[in-house]
Amino acid sequence: MPIDGLWSIGELAERAGATVKTVRHYSDRGLLPEAGRSSGGHRRYGPEALDRLLLIRSLRALGLPVPEAGRALDGPEALEEAVSGQLREVGDRLAELRWREASLRLVREAPEERRSERLRLLGAVPVPPDTTVLARFWRRVLPVRLPGRVVSSVLDAVVPGTPAEPTPEQVLAFARLHALVSGAGLGPAELRTARPLPDGEYRPAVLYEGLTEVYGAAWDAVRTGRDAAGAGVLDGFVAAYARALGVRDTPAFRVRLTELLAAHEGPLMVRYWKLAPVLFGPDEPVLGLLHHRLGASLRVQVGELTA
């Protein structure tokens, strides 16, 4: 080190294993502290500049842009925030790559006569995919009078997430689901049949809050190896509809309810709940399947009552 304990820009660059151009760039951006100037007006740097330069180079090697690397020098919290941001970005890139890999495998493994169809399906899905279209579909299906908290709860339960490490089967299911809910033919008539009861004839919040509780009990039964429609769960299912319609639970109402459920089990929702389960995790309840099992149990019971 020179007598004054300071280095020229070239000496600093040499010690850091960087180019003079790089050091000058960082210095011009105010990222490297100058300890002074030589008699000729040249920049002089001390050990602090070397430490900061080495840190910037390390952050740049981890993929942080220069502005982010510069902000990370402001203290421990700034460094943690910058690294966390980069981790999120890397995670997004990995998710995109995994989705692309599964999509390519899906095309490669498809029979030749199905490849064009699958390519068209995949081409309509953004990469990485998101569930915006699915959520928008459900917002159109749900009653307009439903409170916001109930809407959020329903969306959390019926919109599957995108798998972190998708299989080709999951990519295909998502692409088909995406095509289903974004179809041009989803008019008011189709959406009405997707709703649990005729518009204007029931109290939506009462029904959805009641069904949320019932589905929770049904899922607990399934997880413990019991009948989803047993131990009062089916009675709770019927009671939720009865309360929403403002009527009593009677044998005659149960017959009527089977007819209402059949009328609102159109091809749109049947198709949705055939595709969606592939995308839910093993520990996530699939409400469409629980609803189907409860409805089927009710039909059996009604059949026994009317036999």
Side-chain angles (χ1 to χ4, degrees):
M1 180 174 287
I3 296 176
D4 61 2
L6 302 178
W7 302 305
S8 67
I9 192 170
E11 291 168 334
L12 176 61
E14 183 178 359
R15 286 178 175 273
T19 65
V20 171
K21 181 180 179 181
T22 297
V23 175
R24 182 174 290 110
H25 177 65
Y26 292 158
S27 188
D28 288 343
R29 296 183 70 110
L31 301 180
L32 299 178
E34 295 181 18
R37 293 271 176 161
S38 69
S39 57
H42 299 294
R43 298 166 177 171
R44 308 290 285 172
Y45 301 92
E48 183 183 356
L50 178 60
D51 291 341
R52 288 173 68 88
L53 179 54
L54 293 174
L55 180 56
I56 292 170
R57 293 193 66 202
S58 296
L59 292 170
R60 294 286 290 127
L62 293 175
L64 273 75
V66 173
E68 291 296 322
R71 283 192 287 271
L73 301 175
D74 292 340
E77 291 185 4
L79 176 60
E80 182 176 348
E81 182 179 345
V83 171
S84 297
Q86 187 66 12
L87 277 172
R88 287 191 296 272
E89 184 176 333
V90 170
D92 290 343
R93 290 178 184 172
L94 286 174
E96 178 177 344
L97 288 173
R98 291 186 183 114
W99 190 268
R100 289 186 185 278
E101 179 188 25
S103 299
L104 289 168
R105 287 170 55 199
L106 174 65
V107 174
R108 184 185 64 185
E109 296 165 8
E112 186 173 349
E113 64 274 14
R114 305 299 298 273
R115 286 179 177 171
S116 294
E117 175 215 2
R118 293 188 176 180
L119 283 170
R120 284 194 296 271
L121 284 170
L122 293 172
V125 178
V127 179
D130 63 57
T131 56
T132 302
V133 171
L134 304 185
R136 187 183 303 126
F137 162 74
W138 278 101
R139 289 185 183 278
R140 293 177 66 196
V141 168
L142 294 174
V144 293
R145 292 174 291 160
L146 208 57
R149 58 181 173 76
V150 179
V151 172
S152 296
S153 176
V154 173
L155 292 179
D156 287 342
V158 299
V159 176
T162 53
E165 298 186 14
T167 63
E169 180 188 19
Q170 289 173 320
V171 167
L172 181 59
F174 187 89
R176 285 177 171 165
L177 203 58
H178 188 280
L180 176 71
V181 302
S182 57
L186 292 184
E190 289 76 16
L191 294 174
R192 275 197 299 271
T193 61
R195 293 170 186 145
L197 288 173
D199 292 345
E201 295 186 14
Y202 71 108
R203 292 176 292 171
V206 173
L207 177 62
Y208 280 91
E209 288 175 344
L211 289 179
T212 297
E213 184 176 343
V214 169
Y215 292 146
W219 178 239
D220 286 341
V222 170
R223 287 190 302 173
T224 54
R226 294 177 287 119
D227 181 6
V233 178
L234 182 58
D235 289 340
F237 179 70
V238 175
Y241 279 93
R243 286 194 300 271
L245 287 163
V247 301
R248 292 191 309 112
D249 176 7
T250 64
F253 172 71
R254 294 198 174 208
V255 173
R256 180 190 170 204
L257 182 56
T258 61
E259 296 169 353
L260 287 171
L261 293 176
H264 287 263
E265 197 173 78
L268 176 61
M269 295 311 295
V270 169
R271 182 64 173 158
Y272 185 96
W273 288 114
K274 281 186 177 180
L275 294 169
V278 179
L279 298 163
F280 283 96
D283 297 323
E284 293 180 290
V286 181
L287 299 197
L289 299 185
L290 294 175
H291 181 89
H292 175 76
R293 290 172 73 167
L294 290 166
S297 296
L298 179 61
R299 286 193 295 272
V300 170
Q301 186 186 82
V302 166
E304 293 171 349
L305 290 172
T306 58

